[in-house]
Amino acid sequence: GVKIWASYIKKRYGSFDMVHVHGLNRSRGNAMMFLKGISKRIAISVWGDEIFRASPKVCERYKKYYDVAGVITLSTKAMREKFVSVYGERYADKTAMNKFAVGIFGRIDKYAKEYTKEQLCEEFGVKSPDKLVVFIGHNGRTAQRHIELTSALKKLPDECKDKITLVYTMTY
């Protein structure tokens, strides 16, 4: 399917200045490989799963994609450290730090210092600021483990559950 899609893209658009892969996986990597011949540059932005959750076997398979990339962006120090622990300095000349999509972390820290929990709960419509507020996931994907976390929380005694407000954050 990826080859058919890439062929369609080639036919429809011709060439590209850059193909940018976000959140590397096999499908996106293969699409990138099919499109590399019509692209001047290839970039891969590591989002996390492909380095923190991937098995050693999958990480080994991803080398062929990283080898083709002209730049590999990483968002956090922890991500950089994990990437180097898996691949060594093999891609040192290609990696760059880029705060893409994680700018919210700085705001969270800022607002946590400027506002009380009660003020933030009121602003975001959380009705019980006296409870423990637990945010689960950031999208609806299986990797966010909404079902597993909810199932685990259901097993708590009622007196514990009564002290918790769950917020399912599905922001994209």
Side-chain angles (χ1 to χ4, degrees), residues 74-88:
L74 306 159
S75 297
T76 65
K77 182 179 176 187
M79 192 180 289
R80 168 90 174 116
E81 289 170 359
K82 178 66 175 176
F83 193 86
V84 170
S85 77
V86 171
Y87 297 107

PDB file of all heavy atoms in Angstrom, residues 74-88:
ATOM      1  N   LEU A  74      15.672  15.589  17.476  1.00  0.00           N
ATOM      2  CA  LEU A  74      15.300  15.032  18.773  1.00  0.00           C
ATOM      3  C   LEU A  74      14.802  16.188  19.630  1.00  0.00           C
ATOM      4  O   LEU A  74      15.318  17.302  19.526  1.00  0.00           O
ATOM      5  CB  LEU A  74      16.507  14.350  19.420  1.00  0.00           C
ATOM      6  CG  LEU A  74      17.186  13.289  18.546  1.00  0.00           C
ATOM      7  CD1 LEU A  74      18.605  13.025  18.999  1.00  0.00           C
ATOM      8  CD2 LEU A  74      16.372  12.015  18.570  1.00  0.00           C
ATOM      9  N   SER A  75      13.833  15.928  20.507  1.00  0.00           N
ATOM     10  CA  SER A  75      13.182  17.026  21.222  1.00  0.00           C
ATOM     11  C   SER A  75      13.663  17.268  22.642  1.00  0.00           C
ATOM     12  O   SER A  75      13.525  18.359  23.153  1.00  0.00           O
ATOM     13  CB  SER A  75      11.674  16.793  21.275  1.00  0.00           C
ATOM     14  OG  SER A  75      11.139  16.783  19.986  1.00  0.00           O
ATOM     15  N   THR A  76      14.175  16.249  23.299  1.00  0.00           N
ATOM     16  CA  THR A  76      14.553  16.419  24.699  1.00  0.00           C
ATOM     17  C   THR A  76      15.923  15.813  24.966  1.00  0.00           C
ATOM     18  O   THR A  76      16.421  14.979  24.187  1.00  0.00           O
ATOM     19  CB  THR A  76      13.540  15.728  25.628  1.00  0.00           C
ATOM     20  OG1 THR A  76      13.591  14.308  25.407  1.00  0.00           O
ATOM     21  CG2 THR A  76      12.120  16.242  25.409  1.00  0.00           C
ATOM     22  N   LYS A  77      16.496  16.207  26.072  1.00  0.00           N
ATOM     23  CA  LYS A  77      17.791  15.656  26.477  1.00  0.00           C
ATOM     24  C   LYS A  77      17.676  14.142  26.700  1.00  0.00           C
ATOM     25  O   LYS A  77      18.544  13.387  26.272  1.00  0.00           O
ATOM     26  CB  LYS A  77      18.263  16.351  27.758  1.00  0.00           C
ATOM     27  CG  LYS A  77      19.611  15.907  28.234  1.00  0.00           C
ATOM     28  CD  LYS A  77      20.031  16.648  29.498  1.00  0.00           C
ATOM     29  CE  LYS A  77      21.353  16.104  29.996  1.00  0.00           C
ATOM     30  NZ  LYS A  77      21.723  16.678  31.297  1.00  0.00           N
ATOM     31  N   ALA A  78      16.590  13.715  27.322  1.00  0.00           N
ATOM     32  CA  ALA A  78      16.384  12.278  27.563  1.00  0.00           C
ATOM     33  C   ALA A  78      16.289  11.508  26.250  1.00  0.00           C
ATOM     34  O   ALA A  78      16.825  10.403  26.121  1.00  0.00           O
ATOM     35  CB  ALA A  78      15.120  12.054  28.396  1.00  0.00           C
ATOM     36  N   MET A  79      15.643  12.106  25.266  1.00  0.00           N
ATOM     37  CA  MET A  79      15.523  11.469  23.956  1.00  0.00           C
ATOM     38  C   MET A  79      16.901  11.359  23.298  1.00  0.00           C
ATOM     39  O   MET A  79      17.243  10.331  22.726  1.00  0.00           O
ATOM     40  CB  MET A  79      14.560  12.265  23.083  1.00  0.00           C
ATOM     41  CG  MET A  79      14.137  11.553  21.824  1.00  0.00           C
ATOM     42  SD  MET A  79      13.000  12.543  20.842  1.00  0.00           S
ATOM     43  CE  MET A  79      11.537  12.496  21.846  1.00  0.00           C
ATOM     44  N   ARG A  80      17.669  12.412  23.389  1.00  0.00           N
ATOM     45  CA  ARG A  80      19.031  12.411  22.825  1.00  0.00           C
ATOM     46  C   ARG A  80      19.878  11.331  23.492  1.00  0.00           C
ATOM     47  O   ARG A  80      20.578  10.572  22.829  1.00  0.00           O
ATOM     48  CB  ARG A  80      19.667  13.790  22.992  1.00  0.00           C
ATOM     49  CG  ARG A  80      21.159  13.830  22.722  1.00  0.00           C
ATOM     50  CD  ARG A  80      21.461  14.131  21.273  1.00  0.00           C
ATOM     51  NE  ARG A  80      22.885  14.299  21.085  1.00  0.00           N
ATOM     52  CZ  ARG A  80      23.627  13.496  20.327  1.00  0.00           C
ATOM     53  NH1 ARG A  80      23.069  12.525  19.658  1.00  0.00           N
ATOM     54  NH2 ARG A  80      24.908  13.687  20.203  1.00  0.00           N
ATOM     55  N   GLU A  81      19.811  11.263  24.810  1.00  0.00           N
ATOM     56  CA  GLU A  81      20.590  10.256  25.546  1.00  0.00           C
ATOM     57  C   GLU A  81      20.183   8.837  25.157  1.00  0.00           C
ATOM     58  O   GLU A  81      21.037   7.973  24.954  1.00  0.00           O
ATOM     59  CB  GLU A  81      20.435  10.474  27.052  1.00  0.00           C
ATOM     60  CG  GLU A  81      21.157  11.719  27.538  1.00  0.00           C
ATOM     61  CD  GLU A  81      20.828  12.096  28.970  1.00  0.00           C
ATOM     62  OE1 GLU A  81      20.000  11.408  29.624  1.00  0.00           O
ATOM     63  OE2 GLU A  81      21.396  13.104  29.448  1.00  0.00           O
ATOM     64  N   LYS A  82      18.889   8.597  25.035  1.00  0.00           N
ATOM     65  CA  LYS A  82      18.406   7.271  24.639  1.00  0.00           C
ATOM     66  C   LYS A  82      18.839   6.944  23.210  1.00  0.00           C
ATOM     67  O   LYS A  82      19.283   5.827  22.925  1.00  0.00           O
ATOM     68  CB  LYS A  82      16.878   7.210  24.765  1.00  0.00           C
ATOM     69  CG  LYS A  82      16.275   5.888  24.343  1.00  0.00           C
ATOM     70  CD  LYS A  82      16.666   4.746  25.251  1.00  0.00           C
ATOM     71  CE  LYS A  82      15.933   3.480  24.832  1.00  0.00           C
ATOM     72  NZ  LYS A  82      16.308   2.319  25.596  1.00  0.00           N
ATOM     73  N   PHE A  83      18.734   7.932  22.312  1.00  0.00           N
ATOM     74  CA  PHE A  83      19.139   7.735  20.921  1.00  0.00           C
ATOM     75  C   PHE A  83      20.617   7.346  20.853  1.00  0.00           C
ATOM     76  O   PHE A  83      20.997   6.403  20.157  1.00  0.00           O
ATOM     77  CB  PHE A  83      18.857   9.008  20.111  1.00  0.00           C
ATOM     78  CG  PHE A  83      18.942   8.822  18.624  1.00  0.00           C
ATOM     79  CD1 PHE A  83      17.843   8.373  17.909  1.00  0.00           C
ATOM     80  CD2 PHE A  83      20.107   9.110  17.937  1.00  0.00           C
ATOM     81  CE1 PHE A  83      17.908   8.193  16.531  1.00  0.00           C
ATOM     82  CE2 PHE A  83      20.186   8.935  16.560  1.00  0.00           C
ATOM     83  CZ  PHE A  83      19.083   8.473  15.855  1.00  0.00           C
ATOM     84  N   VAL A  84      21.449   8.045  21.595  1.00  0.00           N
ATOM     85  CA  VAL A  84      22.895   7.743  21.611  1.00  0.00           C
ATOM     86  C   VAL A  84      23.151   6.388  22.262  1.00  0.00           C
ATOM     87  O   VAL A  84      24.024   5.640  21.812  1.00  0.00           O
ATOM     88  CB  VAL A  84      23.688   8.868  22.314  1.00  0.00           C
ATOM     89  CG1 VAL A  84      25.138   8.462  22.562  1.00  0.00           C
ATOM     90  CG2 VAL A  84      23.634  10.150  21.487  1.00  0.00           C
ATOM     91  N   SER A  85      22.371   6.024  23.282  1.00  0.00           N
ATOM     92  CA  SER A  85      22.582   4.717  23.913  1.00  0.00           C
ATOM     93  C   SER A  85      22.249   3.576  22.956  1.00  0.00           C
ATOM     94  O   SER A  85      22.832   2.508  23.024  1.00  0.00           O
ATOM     95  CB  SER A  85      21.774   4.588  25.206  1.00  0.00           C
ATOM     96  OG  SER A  85      20.415   4.336  24.949  1.00  0.00           O
ATOM     97  N   VAL A  86      21.301   3.820  22.043  1.00  0.00           N
ATOM     98  CA  VAL A  86      20.914   2.787  21.072  1.00  0.00           C
ATOM     99  C   VAL A  86      21.849   2.777  19.866  1.00  0.00           C
ATOM    100  O   VAL A  86      22.285   1.713  19.424  1.00  0.00           O
ATOM    101  CB  VAL A  86      19.452   2.998  20.601  1.00  0.00           C
ATOM    102  CG1 VAL A  86      19.108   2.072  19.436  1.00  0.00           C
ATOM    103  CG2 VAL A  86      18.486   2.788  21.749  1.00  0.00           C
ATOM    104  N   TYR A  87      22.178   3.957  19.324  1.00  0.00           N
ATOM    105  CA  TYR A  87      22.917   4.039  18.060  1.00  0.00           C
ATOM    106  C   TYR A  87      24.356   4.536  18.208  1.00  0.00           C
ATOM    107  O   TYR A  87      25.067   4.636  17.207  1.00  0.00           O
ATOM    108  CB  TYR A  87      22.169   4.953  17.074  1.00  0.00           C
ATOM    109  CG  TYR A  87      20.809   4.419  16.711  1.00  0.00           C
ATOM    110  CD1 TYR A  87      19.658   5.015  17.206  1.00  0.00           C
ATOM    111  CD2 TYR A  87      20.670   3.306  15.890  1.00  0.00           C
ATOM    112  CE1 TYR A  87      18.396   4.527  16.888  1.00  0.00           C
ATOM    113  CE2 TYR A  87      19.421   2.805  15.568  1.00  0.00           C
ATOM    114  CZ  TYR A  87      18.292   3.416  16.072  1.00  0.00           C
ATOM    115  OH  TYR A  87      17.053   2.922  15.754  1.00  0.00           O
ATOM    116  N   GLY A  88      24.771   4.844  19.419  1.00  0.00           N
ATOM    117  CA  GLY A  88      26.112   5.389  19.604  1.00  0.00           C
ATOM    118  C   GLY A  88      26.216   6.745  18.923  1.00  0.00           C
ATOM    119  O   GLY A  88      25.233   7.467  18.790  1.00  0.00           O
TER     120      GLY A  88
END
